[in-house]
């Protein structure tokens, strides 16, 4: 994202920080020694993704709806019976 033209200024910095923190949480989840730690790291990652979505939504209305629609399509594709 460092070379991305999607975001500028403070939004770029905030998004970079949220991406870094989300990646860090997922790396901790991979090394999680127990279920409680795994749940905590998932909670942090989901929180950070929600914050990032909200920041983008403020500058690009409709983004959150687009994300949800895509999420629903992925779920539908994964749950289709063959």
């Amino acid at each position: 994202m460092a070379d991305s033209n999607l975001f500028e200024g403070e939004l770029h910095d905030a998004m970079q920080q949220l991406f870094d923190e989300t990646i860090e949480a997922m790396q901790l989840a991979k090394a999680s020694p127990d279920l409680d730690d795994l749940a905590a790291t998932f909670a942090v990652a989901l929180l950070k993704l929600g914050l990032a979505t909200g920041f983008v939504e403020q500058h690009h209305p409709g983004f959150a709806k687009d994300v949800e629609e895509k999420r629903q399509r992925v779920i539908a594709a994964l749950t289709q019976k063959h």
Side-chain angles (χ1 to χ4, degrees), residues 2-65:
D3 297 326
S4 173
N5 292 327
L6 286 176
F7 312 113
E8 295 179 4
E10 289 181 8
L11 179 59
H12 177 272
D13 295 342
M15 292 298 292
Q16 186 65 55
Q17 181 176 346
L18 285 169
F19 289 156
D20 291 345
E21 291 170 355
T22 303
I23 291 166
E24 181 182 6
M26 292 310 299
Q27 288 172 334
L28 290 170
K30 284 176 61 174
S32 177
D34 63 42
L35 202 54
D36 188 53
D37 286 346
L38 182 62
T41 55
F42 273 27
V44 169
L46 290 169
L47 173 67
K48 299 299 179 176
L49 289 171
L51 289 170
T53 300
F55 283 160
V56 177
E57 177 71 23
Q58 288 176 3
H59 292 80
H60 301 281
F63 179 76
K65 180 180 177 188

